[in-house]
Amino acid sequence: MNEKILIISNQAKDGNLFKQILGSKGFDIVTKPVSEGIEDIFLNDNFGAILADYDQVGDLACSWINLLQENRSQSCVILYGENKKAEKIFEILQAGIYGFISRSNISKRIYETILGGMENRKAFIEILGMFNTLKNVNESIEREKEDLRKKNQELTFINRLTTEVAYDLNWSLILPRILNAGFLDVMNPALLGMLYRIGSKWNMAFHLSEKEINKKIIDRLKKDMINKFFSISGERVSIKDTDFHLYSSSIKISSADAIPFSKQIIMPLSLAGSTLGMLAILPENNEQLNDEKMELLTTISNILSMSLKNAQEYHKLKEMAVKDGLTGILNRKGFQNFIQKEFHRAKRYHRPLSLIMIDVDNFKKINDSIGHQAGDYVLLELAGCLKRSIRQADIVFRYGGDEFVILLPDTDMEQAKMLLKRVLSDVEKHAFDWESHQMNVKISCGISTTGELENHEDEKDLISKADTRLYSAKRSQDLKYCMA
């Protein structure tokens, strides 16, 4: 097919001239007058070149260049007319016009100019295509970088979540800890809900993002979670006996039912075929989660399942351990159960575990001078004082006689020393008054931590180190506790 040339001129003689010169060269000549719709003509047809009478179209021709480039046209624009000053010709060429031919030189130069213009335009389109290809490559790289950033963000969250909750034995604030690990950065749900049991007590917690809510919606949330849990576990949960917690930074009270309950994604918290709890997610704007997000949710549920199992076993041990008949705290048998399990967990997750051994100074003197009832009173008061001084995750035991032990999960030496200072201060301030006797009760302590142990050492070595340091403190006149 021959190349088409568009002649834009109001003079019929121009069209005849170009047909005479270019027609014989195999070009199809199309002549159109200067009109408002001329742009539609050359944009909707494939012209090899556009020849325009500059004396008639003027600088309008320069604006055509942008249109042709935007539409990726291979047409080149060549102007002709009366002789122009060099400055004006330079300005025209700078605008993107391929060439300017004076009327007197049309016959001599038009053919070679058209060939050069079309070749130049094709080269320009090829370069433009290369730029577009490069742009697409850069955009692809940016998308890959964004995907990598999101994947790194997810991996960072998984690492933080594992650190936050895998070793967590206290699930009372589990949902805020999940949020603090960065859950909203990787999922950004409209609703995050959890249902789980610790001991015999069921707990339900929700986080809502910028949602309107009222008592009716809260009641429906509770009922919906319990019904969904029954559907996956077959276990009935009483709403009345369930503790409920709601977290959100921007809850509005409204009568509108703003939560599409049927759109929630349910993830069981299960281990070894046993359903321990449930995670419910409502994606923002009801979006469909892709495979990567669903895989992330599965990983999250697995981490939470292991953490929940640990917390349940921890609570079970705490409840089952034999209590001391006098003080009501766990006894030596309970301590043996806990120390073995906590030592194993600390070693497995590479977390610190510390131990404080405590002994009442001159306890035999109290029994001998005031009586055994006074001694029992001291032990009972001291046990209560110790329980009030420790943290929620810490456990105090009566080791035997006038000896006590405090077990400190997830606690290194520096943290243990800080807690012990509080214990010593609280005991010193406590009034031990038995009938008419005001007793000055003092204690000695020894601390040990897993960070000091060699790989081959076990919980017995942890106990032995603390016990040795306890008696070093008792032998000293100045120290009330010993760490080395």
Side-chain angles (χ1 to χ4, degrees):
M1 183 177 179
N2 295 334
E3 289 278 10
K4 297 170 67 175
I5 306 296
L6 175 62
I7 310 300
I8 302 176
S9 175
N10 292 332
Q11 299 185 45
K13 65 178 183 178
D14 290 350
N16 294 330
L17 176 62
F18 288 118
K19 284 181 181 180
Q20 180 183 350
I21 299 173
L22 301 176
S24 62
K25 301 293 186 181
F27 293 105
D28 290 337
I29 306 301
V30 178
T31 302
K32 296 292 181 181
V34 180
S35 64
E36 291 184 0
I38 193 63
E39 291 89 349
D40 294 333
I41 294 175
F42 63 67
L43 288 178
N44 294 325
D45 208 336
N46 187 23
F47 293 103
I50 300 171
L51 304 180
D53 187 347
Y54 185 67
D55 298 330
Q56 297 175 26
V57 301
D59 291 336
L60 181 63
C62 297
S63 66
W64 296 344
I65 296 298
N66 293 330
L67 288 174
L68 293 169
Q69 290 178 354
E70 290 172 0
N71 289 271
R72 303 188 66 176
S73 171
Q74 294 190 12
S75 301
C76 69
V77 179
I78 300 171
L79 301 180
Y80 66 91
E82 299 302 327
N83 287 330
K84 302 294 180 184
K85 292 183 178 180
E87 294 83 357
K88 188 60 180 178
I89 294 175
F90 179 76
E91 181 182 333
I92 292 171
L93 298 179
Q94 283 289 98
I97 303 299
Y98 177 70
F100 179 86
I101 305 174
S102 63
R103 284 187 178 276
S104 59
N105 290 323
I106 286 178
S107 298
K108 297 178 181 179
R109 294 183 50 199
I110 189 61
Y111 179 62
E112 290 78 7
T113 303
I114 285 177
L115 292 180
M118 289 192 297
E119 190 64 31
N120 178 271
R121 190 63 184 166
K122 288 179 182 179
F124 175 80
I125 295 301
E126 290 178 0
I127 293 172
L128 184 61
M130 293 172 59
F131 276 117
N132 287 336
T133 300
L134 182 60
K135 178 182 177 183
N136 292 334
V137 170
N138 288 335
E139 289 176 350
S140 177
I141 292 174
E142 288 300 318
R143 287 193 297 269
E144 290 177 0
K145 287 171 60 179
E146 179 62 16
D147 290 342
L148 182 60
R149 185 193 67 79
K150 289 180 179 179
K151 183 57 86 174
N152 285 337
Q153 189 179 48
E154 291 176 359
L155 292 174
T156 299
F157 163 71
I158 290 299
N159 183 55
R160 290 185 60 186
L161 180 68
T162 303
T163 302
E164 282 281 336
V165 308
Y167 192 76
D168 193 12
L169 302 177
N170 177 22
W171 262 51
S172 61
L173 295 175
I174 191 65
L175 195 145
R177 296 190 72 172
I178 295 171
L179 299 176
N180 289 339
F183 182 86
L184 299 181
D185 295 330
V186 297
M187 292 301 299
N188 190 29
L191 168 71
L192 169 63
M194 297 186 70
L195 178 67
Y196 59 93
R197 178 172 58 193
I198 298 295
S200 60
K201 190 66 178 178
W202 283 95
N203 298 268
M204 191 182 301
F206 287 99
H207 177 272
L208 292 99
S209 175
E210 299 180 357
K211 285 293 178 184
E212 297 183 349
I213 195 168
N214 57 22
K215 185 179 183 301
K216 178 182 176 182
I217 298 176
I218 292 176
D219 291 341
R220 188 173 174 187
L221 275 172
K222 295 178 181 179
K223 184 177 180 180
D224 183 71
M225 283 287 285
I226 286 174
N227 288 340
K228 284 185 169 66
F229 185 73
F230 176 75
S231 69
I232 64 174
S233 69
E235 185 173 359
R236 288 287 185 188
V237 178
S238 171
I239 295 180
K240 181 179 178 182
D241 299 328
T242 302
D243 284 345
F244 180 75
H245 305 278
L246 182 64
Y247 303 93
S248 180
S249 57
S250 56
I251 293 180
K252 300 177 182 178
I253 305 300
S254 169
S255 60
D257 188 342
I259 300 175
F261 292 88
S262 61
K263 302 293 186 179
Q264 295 181 46
I265 299 172
I266 302 301
M267 303 295 293
L269 302 180
S270 304
L271 275 181
S274 176
T275 303
L276 312 174
M278 186 181 76
L279 194 68
I281 305 290
L282 177 62
E284 191 70 40
N285 301 320
N286 301 323
E287 65 175 315
Q288 187 75 25
L289 297 187
N290 56 30
D291 292 341
E292 289 77 11
K293 289 296 184 184
M294 290 302 299
E295 183 179 349
L296 176 61
L297 271 182
T298 300
T299 302
I300 293 171
S301 66
N302 290 338
I303 293 172
L304 293 177
S305 296
M306 289 187 289
S307 177
L308 178 55
K309 184 65 174 177
N310 287 337
Q312 289 178 339
E313 290 182 354
Y314 176 84
H315 191 275
K316 184 178 179 180
L317 265 178
K318 197 170 182 179
E319 285 188 336
M320 290 178 61
V322 179
K323 292 184 179 180
D324 176 57
L326 173 64
T327 61
I329 63 176
L330 301 176
N331 62 13
R332 186 165 183 161
K333 183 178 180 180
F335 171 71
Q336 294 297 336
N337 289 335
F338 268 93
I339 188 65
Q340 291 176 9
K341 192 169 187 64
E342 289 309 307
F343 190 91
H344 175 74
R345 184 179 286 116
K347 188 174 182 179
R348 178 181 179 184
Y349 291 104
H350 306 287
R351 305 294 294 176
L353 174 69
S354 294
L355 185 71
I356 301 175
M357 299 284 289
I358 298 173
D359 183 87
V360 180
D361 296 341
N362 301 315
F363 183 71
K364 185 175 183 299
K365 184 177 180 181
I366 295 175
N367 281 333
D368 293 343
S369 60
I370 305 177
H372 287 282
Q373 288 184 328
D376 289 347
Y377 165 79
V378 169
L379 297 177
L380 182 62
E381 287 293 300
L382 179 58
C385 189
L386 294 177
K387 286 196 296 182
R388 290 188 294 272
S389 298
I390 62 176
R391 304 163 302 183
Q392 189 171 5
D394 304 330
I395 314 170
V396 61
F397 306 85
R398 185 181 177 191
Y399 195 64
D402 61 331
E403 287 187 318
F404 294 81
V405 177
I406 301 176
L407 193 60
L408 309 170
D410 203 17
T411 304
D412 59 22
M413 178 63 82
E414 289 302 315
Q415 293 170 319
K417 287 164 58 179
M418 291 177 61
L419 183 132
L420 180 55
K421 288 179 180 179
R422 184 168 73 237
V423 168
L424 290 170
S425 176
D426 290 347
V427 172
E428 184 176 358
K429 294 175 183 176
H430 188 77
F432 291 86
D433 297 334
W434 168 253
E435 295 181 346
S436 60
H437 300 280
Q438 294 182 349
M439 293 174 285
N440 184 21
V441 176
K442 302 289 185 180
I443 60 174
S444 297
C445 309
I447 307 178
S448 63
T449 186
T450 52
E452 307 172 284
L453 302 181
E454 301 293 338
N455 290 333
H456 63 278
E457 294 182 308
D458 57 19
E459 68 272 10
K460 294 178 182 178
D461 299 290
L462 186 69
I463 298 170
S464 178
K465 284 183 181 292
D467 195 49
T468 299
R469 290 167 181 172
L470 165 64
Y471 284 98
S472 294
K474 288 185 72 69
R475 288 192 298 269
S476 172
Q477 295 294 320
D478 300 320
L479 296 177
K480 296 315 295 173
Y481 66 93
C482 185
M483 292 158 289

